[in-house]
Amino acid sequence: SMGERMEQLKALFAKHGEVLDVQVPVFSNTGEMRGFAFVRFKERAHAEQALSKCDKSTWNGSQLSVNWAVPRGIAKQAVG
């Protein structure tokens, strides 16, 4: 279930510091997970550690790509 998946993600990232919350976006028409999540840490240093340790690691058979979240529109401006 999605609740279990979110708890598993929280546990994975909590190895690096206190996780405040995990958000898993879903498709509005199907309710299925979109394939990415947002993890918010209490301390920036813990987020930095999680990013360096978890990026390109394997979780549940999938390779993770861990990056800083970028507000909508900013990424498009940088590319365009």
Side-chain angles (χ1 to χ4, degrees):
S1 76
M2 181 166 350
E4 290 172 345
R5 180 70 52 104
M6 288 174 66
E7 285 303 313
Q8 291 171 350
L9 274 172
K10 187 173 183 176
L12 173 72
F13 285 97
K15 295 174 186 174
H16 305 287
E18 184 178 347
V19 173
L20 297 176
D21 61 44
V22 175
Q23 296 177 342
V24 179
V26 296
F27 289 106
S28 58
N29 57 338
T30 65
E32 291 189 28
M33 291 179 275
R34 295 181 62 189
F36 61 94
F38 297 98
V39 179
R40 191 163 58 111
F41 285 85
K42 184 175 182 180
E43 303 286 335
R44 181 181 178 92
H46 297 156
E48 291 171 349
Q49 180 181 359
L51 193 146
S52 69
K53 299 286 185 182
C54 295
D55 189 37
K56 297 185 177 51
S57 66
T58 301
W59 180 71
N60 282 359
S62 297
Q63 184 176 4
L64 298 179
S65 177
V66 182
N67 298 292
W68 291 108
V70 177
R72 286 183 181 223
I74 302 275
K76 291 179 182 173
Q77 292 172 8
V79 173

